[in-house]
Amino acid sequence: MVQASSRCSSGSRPVPARGASSRAGAVVRCTIQEARPASTSASASTPALNGAAPAAAGAVPPIALPRGAVPNRPILEVPDWENQYRRHTAAARHGAGTPGSLSRLRLFSGTSNPTLANEVAQYLGLELGKIKCKRFADGEIYVQVQESIRGCDVFLIQPSCPPVNDHLMELLITIDACRRASARSITAVIPYYGYARADRKVQGRESIAAKLTANLITEAGADRVLAIDLHSGQCVGYFDIPVDHVYGETVILDYLASKRIATGDLVVVSPDVGGVARARAFAKKLNDAPLAIVDKRRSAHNVSEVMNLIGDVKGKVAVLVDDMIDTAGTITNAAKVLQKEGAREVYACATHAVFSPPAVERLSSGVFQEVIVTNTIPVPPENVFPQLTILSVANLLGETIWRVYNAASVQALRD
């Protein structure tokens, strides 16, 4: 039987070799390196490091232990491990290699707006993740993620557009499926947030459905929400998780700038008092264009009555700004008042094209020069009319997703 020839200093206890029988008596002894002073001319009276005895005269001076080594303990060194670690961390920090930096980013789409999700995936240079979604005969929804997302950062694109309840429930089930698939983080990308208008109690015994919806998304397992143009700012506070709120006005402003409307001929109009802050921010981006306000009195849900106009629009190009167009009653009545007050042209700008009946008939009645919306909600072919212009928010969403994934500033997109 072969025995190890190395000695065990400081009375080290023999240890059986791996795989050898303790009865055979084969042992492997370890050599503990003692610290040596840097200078070979150190005197014998100089005390040795690490508690070792002083070196005798003429003895070979001990070598220094590597930094971090524990005295009287065997040392296992991996060659060049420090340089390998530095190279690995530097590559991760600077995002070297696009495939590596995107290795944990996963993009999935629900059934509500797959066209927008595909455009976002093209902007990011990714493919949409494989997911199976079907409905049973009784209307129940089944969702299965068909690829591994363990340890990945998942982004689910699913606006809660009509039918709102079906698409919202699909979003909740998909979030739960990703959570049970051990995703590292789940971001619910909701270009259009349904139930956002039920954000406060106007009368007694009313539900605040915006808060309830936020609770459902949070409890389903979402870690973050990314939304475009929420109906009101307080909706952000309804979530107990981080919310990245981006604005579709960036896309609309770029399009209006391409029309080269003279600044002196332009006036931004809010269709109601509640949208004054939104219209003011929009006007500021248009070289501080003047602002007008339409005073609206609502007698019932989806029914509005315009009372008067605050501001001057005579001979100017009026741009009506709102976050959504549902039945188009508010914005159409406002446009008629603007025409009566002498506006030369009237443009309607909104981020979300809900277009509930009879919105198309009202918008295509000739009151508007152009109706400008985005594709946060898919517009079916039967709702398209000659005055309608649909702009894509895919680049805005894609850039926001990239910034969230890389922990970069989202506010910089609006500044």
PDB file of all heavy atoms in Angstrom, residues 24-48:
ATOM      1  N   ALA A  24      -6.914  -0.268   5.751  1.00  0.00           N
ATOM      2  CA  ALA A  24      -5.676  -0.455   4.991  1.00  0.00           C
ATOM      3  C   ALA A  24      -4.551   0.392   5.537  1.00  0.00           C
ATOM      4  O   ALA A  24      -3.390   0.156   5.245  1.00  0.00           O
ATOM      5  CB  ALA A  24      -5.909  -0.128   3.521  1.00  0.00           C
ATOM      6  N   GLY A  25      -4.880   1.401   6.294  1.00  0.00           N
ATOM      7  CA  GLY A  25      -3.856   2.226   6.917  1.00  0.00           C
ATOM      8  C   GLY A  25      -3.283   3.283   6.005  1.00  0.00           C
ATOM      9  O   GLY A  25      -2.294   3.929   6.359  1.00  0.00           O
ATOM     10  N   ALA A  26      -3.848   3.467   4.801  1.00  0.00           N
ATOM     11  CA  ALA A  26      -3.342   4.496   3.889  1.00  0.00           C
ATOM     12  C   ALA A  26      -3.825   5.857   4.359  1.00  0.00           C
ATOM     13  O   ALA A  26      -5.014   6.051   4.602  1.00  0.00           O
ATOM     14  CB  ALA A  26      -3.839   4.235   2.463  1.00  0.00           C
ATOM     15  N   VAL A  27      -2.911   6.796   4.504  1.00  0.00           N
ATOM     16  CA  VAL A  27      -3.277   8.125   4.961  1.00  0.00           C
ATOM     17  C   VAL A  27      -2.664   9.149   4.035  1.00  0.00           C
ATOM     18  O   VAL A  27      -1.674   8.895   3.356  1.00  0.00           O
ATOM     19  CB  VAL A  27      -2.781   8.378   6.410  1.00  0.00           C
ATOM     20  CG1 VAL A  27      -3.483   7.468   7.390  1.00  0.00           C
ATOM     21  CG2 VAL A  27      -1.274   8.198   6.491  1.00  0.00           C
ATOM     22  N   VAL A  28      -3.301  10.315   3.982  1.00  0.00           N
ATOM     23  CA  VAL A  28      -2.778  11.456   3.232  1.00  0.00           C
ATOM     24  C   VAL A  28      -2.498  12.538   4.232  1.00  0.00           C
ATOM     25  O   VAL A  28      -3.388  12.951   4.980  1.00  0.00           O
ATOM     26  CB  VAL A  28      -3.789  11.938   2.164  1.00  0.00           C
ATOM     27  CG1 VAL A  28      -3.263  13.190   1.487  1.00  0.00           C
ATOM     28  CG2 VAL A  28      -4.034  10.843   1.150  1.00  0.00           C
ATOM     29  N   ARG A  29      -1.291  12.996   4.283  1.00  0.00           N
ATOM     30  CA  ARG A  29      -0.909  14.029   5.226  1.00  0.00           C
ATOM     31  C   ARG A  29      -0.817  15.354   4.487  1.00  0.00           C
ATOM     32  O   ARG A  29      -0.366  15.404   3.350  1.00  0.00           O
ATOM     33  CB  ARG A  29       0.422  13.688   5.895  1.00  0.00           C
ATOM     34  CG  ARG A  29       0.403  12.361   6.644  1.00  0.00           C
ATOM     35  CD  ARG A  29       1.765  12.060   7.228  1.00  0.00           C
ATOM     36  NE  ARG A  29       1.775  10.738   7.852  1.00  0.00           N
ATOM     37  CZ  ARG A  29       1.417  10.525   9.115  1.00  0.00           C
ATOM     38  NH1 ARG A  29       1.014  11.542   9.871  1.00  0.00           N
ATOM     39  NH2 ARG A  29       1.430   9.311   9.619  1.00  0.00           N
ATOM     40  N   CYS A  30      -1.223  16.413   5.154  1.00  0.00           N
ATOM     41  CA  CYS A  30      -1.217  17.728   4.539  1.00  0.00           C
ATOM     42  C   CYS A  30      -0.045  18.536   5.063  1.00  0.00           C
ATOM     43  O   CYS A  30       0.358  18.393   6.224  1.00  0.00           O
ATOM     44  CB  CYS A  30      -2.523  18.465   4.820  1.00  0.00           C
ATOM     45  SG  CYS A  30      -2.864  18.606   6.570  1.00  0.00           S
ATOM     46  N   THR A  31       0.514  19.363   4.233  1.00  0.00           N
ATOM     47  CA  THR A  31       1.601  20.244   4.620  1.00  0.00           C
ATOM     48  C   THR A  31       1.051  21.641   4.814  1.00  0.00           C
ATOM     49  O   THR A  31       0.486  22.218   3.885  1.00  0.00           O
ATOM     50  CB  THR A  31       2.701  20.287   3.538  1.00  0.00           C
ATOM     51  OG1 THR A  31       3.204  18.964   3.381  1.00  0.00           O
ATOM     52  CG2 THR A  31       3.824  21.222   3.950  1.00  0.00           C
ATOM     53  N   ILE A  32       1.150  22.178   5.989  1.00  0.00           N
ATOM     54  CA  ILE A  32       0.671  23.521   6.285  1.00  0.00           C
ATOM     55  C   ILE A  32       1.802  24.498   6.061  1.00  0.00           C
ATOM     56  O   ILE A  32       2.885  24.365   6.645  1.00  0.00           O
ATOM     57  CB  ILE A  32       0.165  23.624   7.726  1.00  0.00           C
ATOM     58  CG1 ILE A  32      -1.024  22.668   7.912  1.00  0.00           C
ATOM     59  CG2 ILE A  32      -0.206  25.046   8.070  1.00  0.00           C
ATOM     60  CD1 ILE A  32      -1.578  22.680   9.298  1.00  0.00           C
ATOM     61  N   GLN A  33       1.571  25.455   5.155  1.00  0.00           N
ATOM     62  CA  GLN A  33       2.611  26.428   4.854  1.00  0.00           C
ATOM     63  C   GLN A  33       2.705  27.447   5.969  1.00  0.00           C
ATOM     64  O   GLN A  33       1.699  27.971   6.429  1.00  0.00           O
ATOM     65  CB  GLN A  33       2.289  27.146   3.534  1.00  0.00           C
ATOM     66  CG  GLN A  33       2.236  26.195   2.347  1.00  0.00           C
ATOM     67  CD  GLN A  33       1.851  26.912   1.076  1.00  0.00           C
ATOM     68  OE1 GLN A  33       1.375  28.036   1.150  1.00  0.00           O
ATOM     69  NE2 GLN A  33       2.071  26.282  -0.056  1.00  0.00           N
ATOM     70  N   GLU A  34       3.939  27.704   6.386  1.00  0.00           N
ATOM     71  CA  GLU A  34       4.169  28.692   7.414  1.00  0.00           C
ATOM     72  C   GLU A  34       4.558  30.007   6.764  1.00  0.00           C
ATOM     73  O   GLU A  34       5.218  30.032   5.726  1.00  0.00           O
ATOM     74  CB  GLU A  34       5.267  28.229   8.372  1.00  0.00           C
ATOM     75  CG  GLU A  34       4.875  26.972   9.154  1.00  0.00           C
ATOM     76  CD  GLU A  34       5.979  26.535  10.083  1.00  0.00           C
ATOM     77  OE1 GLU A  34       7.081  27.097   9.943  1.00  0.00           O
ATOM     78  OE2 GLU A  34       5.746  25.668  10.927  1.00  0.00           O
ATOM     79  N   ALA A  35       4.146  31.084   7.395  1.00  0.00           N
ATOM     80  CA  ALA A  35       4.437  32.389   6.828  1.00  0.00           C
ATOM     81  C   ALA A  35       5.927  32.678   6.904  1.00  0.00           C
ATOM     82  O   ALA A  35       6.607  32.335   7.871  1.00  0.00           O
ATOM     83  CB  ALA A  35       3.671  33.458   7.589  1.00  0.00           C
ATOM     84  N   ARG A  36       6.457  33.303   5.862  1.00  0.00           N
ATOM     85  CA  ARG A  36       7.858  33.681   5.822  1.00  0.00           C
ATOM     86  C   ARG A  36       7.966  35.184   5.673  1.00  0.00           C
ATOM     87  O   ARG A  36       7.184  35.792   4.947  1.00  0.00           O
ATOM     88  CB  ARG A  36       8.563  33.002   4.644  1.00  0.00           C
ATOM     89  CG  ARG A  36       8.570  31.479   4.739  1.00  0.00           C
ATOM     90  CD  ARG A  36       9.269  30.863   3.555  1.00  0.00           C
ATOM     91  NE  ARG A  36       9.263  29.407   3.632  1.00  0.00           N
ATOM     92  CZ  ARG A  36       9.785  28.619   2.689  1.00  0.00           C
ATOM     93  NH1 ARG A  36      10.322  29.177   1.622  1.00  0.00           N
ATOM     94  NH2 ARG A  36       9.755  27.319   2.824  1.00  0.00           N
ATOM     95  N   PRO A  37       8.928  35.764   6.325  1.00  0.00           N
ATOM     96  CA  PRO A  37       9.108  37.201   6.157  1.00  0.00           C
ATOM     97  C   PRO A  37       9.547  37.523   4.742  1.00  0.00           C
ATOM     98  O   PRO A  37      10.110  36.687   4.039  1.00  0.00           O
ATOM     99  CB  PRO A  37      10.175  37.562   7.191  1.00  0.00           C
ATOM    100  CG  PRO A  37      10.901  36.279   7.446  1.00  0.00           C
ATOM    101  CD  PRO A  37       9.905  35.180   7.283  1.00  0.00           C
ATOM    102  N   ALA A  38       9.273  38.746   4.324  1.00  0.00           N
ATOM    103  CA  ALA A  38       9.600  39.139   2.955  1.00  0.00           C
ATOM    104  C   ALA A  38      11.096  39.150   2.721  1.00  0.00           C
ATOM    105  O   ALA A  38      11.594  38.856   1.638  1.00  0.00           O
ATOM    106  CB  ALA A  38       9.004  40.517   2.656  1.00  0.00           C
ATOM    107  N   SER A  39      11.871  39.505   3.694  1.00  0.00           N
ATOM    108  CA  SER A  39      13.329  39.596   3.526  1.00  0.00           C
ATOM    109  C   SER A  39      13.974  38.298   3.949  1.00  0.00           C
ATOM    110  O   SER A  39      13.657  37.723   4.993  1.00  0.00           O
ATOM    111  CB  SER A  39      13.875  40.754   4.360  1.00  0.00           C
ATOM    112  OG  SER A  39      15.275  40.765   4.312  1.00  0.00           O
ATOM    113  N   THR A  40      14.919  37.777   3.142  1.00  0.00           N
ATOM    114  CA  THR A  40      15.626  36.535   3.460  1.00  0.00           C
ATOM    115  C   THR A  40      16.716  36.746   4.483  1.00  0.00           C
ATOM    116  O   THR A  40      17.284  35.798   5.009  1.00  0.00           O
ATOM    117  CB  THR A  40      16.236  35.953   2.183  1.00  0.00           C
ATOM    118  OG1 THR A  40      17.113  36.918   1.605  1.00  0.00           O
ATOM    119  CG2 THR A  40      15.144  35.616   1.182  1.00  0.00           C
ATOM    120  N   SER A  41      17.014  37.989   4.763  1.00  0.00           N
ATOM    121  CA  SER A  41      18.068  38.279   5.719  1.00  0.00           C
ATOM    122  C   SER A  41      17.537  38.564   7.112  1.00  0.00           C
ATOM    123  O   SER A  41      18.223  39.147   7.939  1.00  0.00           O
ATOM    124  CB  SER A  41      18.881  39.488   5.228  1.00  0.00           C
ATOM    125  OG  SER A  41      18.038  40.612   5.116  1.00  0.00           O
ATOM    126  N   ALA A  42      16.313  38.186   7.357  1.00  0.00           N
ATOM    127  CA  ALA A  42      15.728  38.439   8.679  1.00  0.00           C
ATOM    128  C   ALA A  42      16.468  37.641   9.713  1.00  0.00           C
ATOM    129  O   ALA A  42      16.885  36.499   9.483  1.00  0.00           O
ATOM    130  CB  ALA A  42      14.244  38.065   8.679  1.00  0.00           C
ATOM    131  N   SER A  43      16.649  38.203  10.869  1.00  0.00           N
ATOM    132  CA  SER A  43      17.402  37.542  11.943  1.00  0.00           C
ATOM    133  C   SER A  43      16.559  36.471  12.574  1.00  0.00           C
ATOM    134  O   SER A  43      15.346  36.452  12.470  1.00  0.00           O
ATOM    135  CB  SER A  43      17.820  38.572  13.006  1.00  0.00           C
ATOM    136  OG  SER A  43      16.668  39.150  13.587  1.00  0.00           O
ATOM    137  N   ALA A  44      17.253  35.561  13.258  1.00  0.00           N
ATOM    138  CA  ALA A  44      16.545  34.464  13.907  1.00  0.00           C
ATOM    139  C   ALA A  44      15.696  34.936  15.053  1.00  0.00           C
ATOM    140  O   ALA A  44      14.759  34.266  15.465  1.00  0.00           O
ATOM    141  CB  ALA A  44      17.555  33.422  14.400  1.00  0.00           C
ATOM    142  N   SER A  45      16.020  36.139  15.555  1.00  0.00           N
ATOM    143  CA  SER A  45      15.240  36.643  16.681  1.00  0.00           C
ATOM    144  C   SER A  45      13.919  37.251  16.282  1.00  0.00           C
ATOM    145  O   SER A  45      13.088  37.538  17.115  1.00  0.00           O
ATOM    146  CB  SER A  45      16.069  37.699  17.446  1.00  0.00           C
ATOM    147  OG  SER A  45      16.365  38.778  16.567  1.00  0.00           O
ATOM    148  N   THR A  46      13.756  37.447  14.964  1.00  0.00           N
ATOM    149  CA  THR A  46      12.496  38.037  14.487  1.00  0.00           C
ATOM    150  C   THR A  46      11.371  37.026  14.646  1.00  0.00           C
ATOM    151  O   THR A  46      11.474  35.916  14.138  1.00  0.00           O
ATOM    152  CB  THR A  46      12.618  38.450  13.012  1.00  0.00           C
ATOM    153  OG1 THR A  46      13.714  39.322  12.877  1.00  0.00           O
ATOM    154  CG2 THR A  46      11.335  39.119  12.546  1.00  0.00           C
ATOM    155  N   PRO A  47      10.306  37.359  15.324  1.00  0.00           N
ATOM    156  CA  PRO A  47       9.228  36.382  15.514  1.00  0.00           C
ATOM    157  C   PRO A  47       8.543  36.065  14.194  1.00  0.00           C
ATOM    158  O   PRO A  47       8.338  36.945  13.364  1.00  0.00           O
ATOM    159  CB  PRO A  47       8.275  37.102  16.480  1.00  0.00           C
ATOM    160  CG  PRO A  47       8.554  38.551  16.291  1.00  0.00           C
ATOM    161  CD  PRO A  47      10.014  38.649  15.973  1.00  0.00           C
ATOM    162  N   ALA A  48       8.233  34.800  13.987  1.00  0.00           N
ATOM    163  CA  ALA A  48       7.564  34.390  12.750  1.00  0.00           C
ATOM    164  C   ALA A  48       6.092  34.760  12.811  1.00  0.00           C
ATOM    165  O   ALA A  48       5.524  34.947  13.876  1.00  0.00           O
ATOM    166  CB  ALA A  48       7.712  32.876  12.557  1.00  0.00           C
TER     167      ALA A  48
END
